[in-house]
Amino acid sequence: MANRYPIIYVRGYAMTERERNETAADPFCGFNIGSTLYRAVADKTSKPAKFVFESPLVRLVTEFQYQHVYQNGADIVDPDWHPPLDADGRPTEGIPNASIVVYRYYDDGSAYFGDGKPRAIEEYARGLSDLILAVRKLVCQHKPLNGEPVKEADFKCYLIAHSMGGLVARAFLQNKELGDEDARKSVSKFFTFATPHNGIEMLDVNVPRWLTKDEISTFNRTNMAQFLALAGVARPPDRVDLIPESVLDPDRIFCMVGTNRGDYEAAQGLSRAFVGHGSDGLVKVANASVCGLKDGVVTRPAATAYAYRSHSGPFGIVNSEEAYQNLVRFLFGDVRVDIWLDIDRLTLPQDLQPKSADVDAVYQIELKASPRGKRWFLTRRISVEDSPACRTHKELTTGTEDRRRVYLSSVFLAKRSRVDQQRASLAYAMMVAVKVPDYEINRTFWPDGHFEGMDLFRDTAFLEVSPPKTVTDGWPVKYWWASDPADVSQMALLFTDASSSAAIAMPFEKTSDPAIQGRLRMVVRPWS
């Protein structure tokens, strides 16, 4: 595969010296952990399903032929490493492009290799820059059996980060004082698991700046604005989940968001209690993704997907099939699909229409997208798991157009992911629902026409895509609603260049009050 660039993993926050010691003692800093546990439903009283996930590193090695960079007990990218000699007594050189590198930034903060004390995030960011340059040097030294060595100007890498590791990577990318410009330009794609891009909140209050013990103040938005080089930059207030488009195109970023707070056991469950609903137990769902920023205006969201996974632990997001499948599709996939729900018309129940000026409500929009033949979802946003997209009645009826165009998730399609390699097409099901809201009249709940759990709209869309036989052929596409399987629409997507795109619109309508009319819109374009 031409796009198998070096993968650099950046682990998350280790609060105590003991945690830093455990990290330093692990060759892969926690990224090698697998799981056999899967929550099929949100009910914690039910036993989890058994689902064996071998770990992201094992899968990258076995499925994509990546290799680690440890030799004879030494870390090749360590500046003190000296290459071993080959059979002729000559030093071996370099590492292949398809290498996995773990940024071991907590080694100095452990009692084993350092003083046991954490460093400032700025130091970690500078270290990441140095590591990328070291990896570039080794990759360019490598002489492959087939082909020419990589030139420095052509070197690219992928950053994959968990939790605070995403902030380390962002500090390096966004703050020109914290790294080398050549290292920043080398980053092709950036993937985060459960990163608090907009800080961490306890009891709905951002952690204070003065809480400096164990570097907890790292997650304060004022401090974040400093190390992310956003202080003084025109932006919405209380928003640091923004990456200037001049730094990295939002299209090259993917945010994997966890939604299962119940299985996060840190501090005997106190963390999830203080962080509250709508979180992975530590990071709020609303704070775990990023958008682009240009001239003070928030632009495109980064690709985002949601999984019913906790921040870490046996049900954690890093050691999950859902996150891994999104990761490899984002890195190596063939087609990108951004999923939107556009609302064109929305009415109230008839009894409320005379009082419409005094009525408001919050609509919850759900999405579950699953590939054919799989037991997991590429993205899963459900009301009972506190992860739906939300809009108020006023936003969807009298608000701006951008508030009536609701971004739901992005999925990436890969030819190699077909269940049956003899079957040409890739097929995906997308369950879409808009929940009937709690209507309020002058902030007072209106119970007369409300039935808990009812849907204003619910249907399943099917999308079937067939890879082209040659690069000049189009991608044949079929799509239909489960409610009308005979009405199958077809089109061919001909991607003439990397900037090509096409929109697939699937209209839906409910005519009786409360009525809704709109379309499921999928923006499809070539990838990788």
Side-chain angles (χ1 to χ4, degrees):
M1 296 173 64
N3 56 340
R4 283 192 305 166
Y5 301 138
I7 290 174
I8 299 176
Y9 270 101
V10 190
R11 73 149 284 144
Y13 178 52
M15 175 183 288
T16 65
E17 181 180 319
R18 177 182 176 182
E19 291 174 344
R20 291 190 291 277
N21 288 344
E22 291 173 349
T23 300
D26 183 340
F28 297 103
C29 297
F31 284 109
N32 59 319
I33 297 174
S35 176
T36 59
L37 301 173
Y38 177 72
R39 291 284 189 194
V41 296
D43 180 9
K44 300 300 185 300
T45 62
S46 302
K47 287 186 177 181
K50 185 177 181 180
F51 189 101
V52 177
F53 174 68
E54 303 94 327
S55 88
L57 292 181
V58 169
R59 296 285 289 276
L60 285 167
V61 169
T62 58
E63 296 180 5
F64 294 91
Q65 292 72 55
Y66 268 77
Q67 69 174 48
H68 58 73
V69 294
Y70 301 127
Q71 285 186 10
N72 299 319
D75 186 347
I76 299 175
V77 295
D78 192 305
D80 296 326
W81 177 80
H82 297 286
L85 303 180
D86 62 17
D88 298 321
R90 296 172 300 188
T92 58
E93 292 185 345
I95 59 176
N97 235 4
S99 292
I100 297 173
V101 180
V102 178
Y103 178 27
R104 304 184 57 85
Y105 65 92
Y106 270 133
D107 281 4
D108 289 340
S110 72
Y112 298 140
F113 304 117
D115 56 12
K117 297 179 181 179
R119 271 63 170 164
I121 197 169
E122 290 86 350
E123 183 173 335
Y124 299 147
R126 293 187 185 96
L128 178 59
S129 176
D130 294 341
L131 176 64
I132 291 173
L133 295 179
V135 172
R136 182 182 69 174
K137 177 181 177 181
L138 289 166
V139 167
C140 294
Q141 286 176 348
H142 179 69
K143 298 176 182 177
L145 294 177
N146 299 310
E148 296 295 321
V150 176
K151 298 178 182 178
E152 280 196 0
D154 298 328
F155 172 79
K156 297 293 180 184
C157 66
Y158 301 133
L159 295 183
I160 303 174
H162 175 227
S163 191
M164 190 188 80
L167 300 184
V168 172
R170 283 185 60 197
F172 150 69
L173 288 167
Q174 295 183 223
N175 194 329
K176 293 185 178 181
E177 302 298 320
L178 302 181
D180 185 273
E181 187 63 23
D182 283 348
R184 276 189 284 272
K185 291 179 179 178
S186 297
V187 177
S188 173
K189 296 175 185 176
F190 176 34
F191 186 101
T192 67
F193 307 89
T195 289
H197 287 292
N198 203 41
I200 288 178
E201 297 174 2
M202 299 288 180
L203 300 177
D204 293 324
V205 177
N206 186 211
V207 293
R209 298 187 71 183
W210 51 262
L211 195 57
T212 57
K213 178 177 171 54
D214 298 315
E215 303 296 322
I216 293 176
S217 59
T218 298
F219 309 107
N220 171 269
R221 281 191 279 271
T222 301
N223 288 350
M224 290 173 66
Q226 294 292 331
F227 64 71
L228 295 175
L230 290 173
V233 174
R235 57 187 166 88
D238 294 324
R239 291 283 303 271
V240 291
D241 53 343
L242 304 167
I243 295 184
E245 291 197 2
S246 58
V247 170
L248 187 63
D249 188 335
D251 283 351
R252 314 303 291 180
I253 306 171
F254 194 110
C255 299
M256 196 73 211
V257 181
T259 64
N260 176 6
R261 63 185 284 270
D263 283 314
Y264 187 59
E265 300 296 342
Q268 288 77 48
L270 286 177
S271 172
R272 65 170 182 254
F274 283 109
V275 175
H277 292 283
S279 75
D280 62 8
L282 182 63
V283 180
K284 289 280 192 182
V285 170
N287 291 336
S289 56
V290 296
C291 292
L293 181 69
K294 185 175 182 180
D295 300 327
V297 177
V298 177
T299 58
R300 296 163 291 161
T304 307
Y306 301 75
Y308 190 60
R309 292 284 179 170
S310 59
H311 190 78
S312 61
F315 295 90
I317 194 166
V318 174
N319 53 322
S320 70
E321 186 76 22
E322 303 96 310
Y324 172 77
Q325 291 294 339
N326 277 287
L327 169 65
V328 296
R329 283 167 165 77
F330 174 64
L331 297 185
F332 314 121
D334 302 292
V335 176
R336 172 179 179 146
V337 183
D338 298 313
I339 306 171
W340 298 73
L341 195 75
D342 300 341
I343 306 297
D344 297 326
R345 177 172 173 265
L346 195 66
T347 66
L348 295 167
Q350 289 186 355
D351 291 347
L352 287 180
Q353 290 178 9
K355 309 172 185 178
S356 60
D358 301 321
V359 175
D360 205 0
V362 176
Y363 296 85
Q364 297 182 329
I365 303 168
E366 299 182 334
L367 172 70
K368 291 194 296 185
S370 58
R372 177 175 55 203
K374 304 296 186 181
R375 295 171 54 199
W376 37 263
F377 297 99
L378 280 171
T379 191
R380 171 168 157 167
R381 307 189 68 175
I382 309 175
S383 298
V384 297
E385 296 170 5
D386 300 318
S387 57
C390 296
R391 291 289 189 274
T392 67
H393 184 76
K394 288 183 170 61
E395 285 177 315
L396 293 179
T397 53
T398 61
T400 59
E401 183 176 351
D402 68 298
R403 297 304 292 169
R404 291 184 281 114
R405 307 292 179 256
V406 186
Y407 171 70
L408 296 179
S409 281
S410 295
V411 297
F412 294 80
L413 315 184
K415 287 182 284 188
R416 74 182 306 277
S417 68
R418 295 197 298 272
V419 176
D420 181 357
Q421 292 298 316
Q422 302 302 314
R423 193 173 186 177
S425 65
L426 303 110
Y428 292 79
M430 288 162 283
M431 187 286 298
V432 183
V434 180
K435 307 293 290 185
V436 172
D438 292 344
Y439 296 105
E440 294 182 352
I441 305 175
N442 292 324
R443 299 186 179 184
T444 300
F445 174 57
W446 179 70
D448 295 355
H450 177 79
F451 296 91
E452 189 65 30
M454 294 294 291
D455 301 314
L456 181 58
F457 167 78
R458 179 179 291 270
D459 208 340
T460 298
F462 292 95
L463 176 69
E464 186 170 14
V465 182
S466 298
K469 295 180 179 179
T470 69
V471 292
T472 57
D473 293 336
W475 291 65
V477 177
K478 297 179 182 178
Y479 51 95
W480 65 96
W481 288 107
S483 59
D484 192 3
D487 186 15
V488 178
S489 298
Q490 299 187 52
M491 64 185 300
L493 304 177
L494 182 59
F495 300 131
T496 56
D497 54 52
S499 62
S500 300
S501 66
I504 297 174
M506 300 183 64
F508 63 87
E509 183 176 16
K510 175 179 173 288
T511 56
S512 58
D513 291 327
I516 186 171
Q517 181 181 7
R519 68 185 82 67
L520 179 68
R521 176 166 52 92
M522 291 167 280
V523 180
V524 187
R525 45 191 159 140
W527 191 245
S528 295

